[in-house]
Structure formats: C-alpha cells, structure tokens
Amino acid sequence: MAENDYDAFAAAYDADNEVNAWNAYYERPAILALVGDVAGLSVLDAGCGGGAHAAALLERGAVVTGIDASAGMLEIAQRRLEGRARLLTADLNEPLPFTDKAFDLILASLVMHYLPDWSRPLSEFNRLLPEGGRLVFSTHHPFMDHASTGRDNYFETYSFDETWQRGGKDIAMRFWHRPLHAMFAALKSAGFQIDIVSEPQPDPEARTLFPQAYQSLTTKPRFLFFSAVKA
C-alpha cells in the first residue's frame, strides 16, 4: 500500500477520528476555539477529511468550501454535510482552483505535516485571502516528531514513516518534520504575520474518558497551532 492512502481506510479513519482523544477531545476543540466567530465568513477547510470541522463551521454560520486529496474522505464528507458545503478534490502541493481573495479565513487541520514544502500551499493560501484575512492551522509539534523518530539532527527538514492500525489493517504513513524556526520563516516568506502560537490542553472530559491519553496530552507536546494574518 502506498503511504498516506486515505482512500484505503477512509471509513475506519473517520470513525476513529470522531471519538478518539487526540482528535475529538484535543485537536478539534482547540482549533475551533482558535478560529472563533465565523458567522457570515467564507471559509476554506483545506484538508477537510470527513467533514467534522466543516460541520462545526457550518453550525457557527460560516459559508464553507472543503478540499481534500482523498476521494474516499470526500465521500464521507458529502454524506455528513448533505450539500451544505461545496466540496472539491484538490492537492495542496498544486495551485488551488479558486480566484484571488475568495475566502475570509482558511482552516487547515493536521495537514501541513504531510507536505514536503510549505512554500506553494502558503503562497496559495495568501493569494486566496484578502489583506487581514486569517490562516488557522494545526500541525505536528516538531518536538514530538523529532523525539519519536530517533533522528540525530532536529534542525533538518526530513520525512519519516509510521505504521497505523485502522480497521484491522496496517497503514503506511509518511510525515515531514520541520524545525520550529522553519515554520516561522515559511509563514513570513509567504506574507503572513503570526498572530497566535498555541500549545493547548485537551478538553477536561478526556481526563475521565481517556486517562492515559490525557496524561500524555497534558505533559508532552503533541500538536502546534497557529493563527496567522495576511499582512
């Protein structure tokens, strides 16, 4: 199986994503809190997956467009959102099929660590926002990545592989580690000014539901959250 083949395990991934500690009780509430009030805003959900974030944005009054590279994940999102959002297949490594300044806000949840180079997607995100428009995204925390890979040089940008178990299958995954300074430099080079950098705590409910995960999430870096404004 090719790495990151979400089509091969879309249903199993989405079912796990709905309820697990890392997504449902940590990443999703944290990034939605960072997004804040979106009523009446045109929002691009970049890497929308099965549509969980898009559904929350719609409930808050946003006009949502979702893009993802996985047709399988988009099928799940279509069923979930029932036509309330525009959904398209798109690759963040390529130019995006939208006009300049098409969106007020872009949300990119746990997608940037799949990309070997941030310059193209960040340049496209800048193009799609008006001056003062916001980009809010989450990504692997580089301290977590580097500690788990066993690599010697934190300051390199490098790929690393993991194996996930979903739906009774071993799934090959590939991610990209980049040091913290490289993230800041990429945002600045693309014309963004960082507004907020967040290392949030999980939802308190996770303490009872997932005690081991809660202990990990409250004491070790996991994901890193950015809010950046188009300068």
Side-chain angles (χ1 to χ4, degrees):
M1 182 186 297
E3 68 271 2
N4 306 336
D5 183 7
Y6 274 91
D7 287 347
F9 67 110
Y13 173 82
D14 187 68
D16 181 67
N17 183 281
E18 283 294 300
V19 298
N20 73 36
W22 319 106
N23 297 98
Y25 291 88
Y26 176 52
E27 193 281 335
R28 201 149 55 239
I31 200 168
L32 291 171
L34 195 56
V35 164
D37 183 9
V38 293
L41 298 185
S42 178
V43 179
L44 175 64
D45 185 355
C48 65
H53 294 79
L57 294 168
L58 287 164
E59 289 173 5
R60 296 178 177 203
V63 178
V64 179
T65 298
I67 57 173
D68 203 279
S70 167
M73 296 305 299
L74 285 172
E75 286 180 13
I76 294 170
Q78 290 278 14
R79 291 196 296 270
R80 180 199 302 268
L81 302 176
E82 299 178 321
R84 293 179 294 146
R86 181 188 181 197
L87 299 173
L88 302 169
T89 304
D91 185 341
L92 291 179
N93 295 298
E94 303 294 336
L96 297 176
F98 306 109
T99 59
D100 294 357
K101 303 179 182 179
F103 302 99
D104 302 306
L105 183 143
I106 296 172
L107 179 147
S109 165
L110 299 180
V111 67
M112 300 299 284
H113 47 250
Y114 292 106
L115 307 178
D117 183 3
W118 281 15
S119 56
R120 167 59 65 80
L122 289 180
S123 175
E124 282 293 277
F125 291 163
N126 183 282
R127 180 181 69 80
L128 297 179
L129 291 169
E131 184 175 342
R134 276 205 304 152
L135 166 65
V136 177
F137 70 96
S138 57
T139 189
H140 282 183
H141 199 298
F143 298 170
M144 175 201 76
D145 271 354
H146 189 65
S148 69
T149 62
R151 296 284 288 260
D152 291 331
N153 189 353
Y154 163 82
F155 296 103
E156 288 183 323
T157 295
Y158 59 80
S159 67
F160 64 97
D161 298 330
E162 291 182 359
T163 301
W164 288 359
Q165 283 78 38
R166 296 288 189 279
K169 299 178 181 178
D170 287 344
I171 309 296
M173 304 300 295
R174 177 164 294 167
F175 307 103
W176 285 84
H177 161 84
R178 50 184 38 83
L180 189 60
H181 77 269
M183 297 181 182
F184 279 70
L187 285 161
K188 182 177 180 180
S189 179
F192 286 100
Q193 180 176 338
I194 296 171
D195 180 36
I196 298 170
V197 177
S198 177
E199 298 172 303
Q201 294 290 292
D203 187 311
E205 287 187 42
R207 184 172 189 169
T208 302
L209 295 171
F210 306 99
Q212 288 185 317
Y214 183 83
Q215 172 66 16
S216 176
L217 289 169
T218 53
T219 57
K220 300 179 182 68
R222 184 73 185 185
F223 303 142
L224 190 61
F225 297 73
F226 288 89
S227 171
V229 179
K230 178 174 176 176

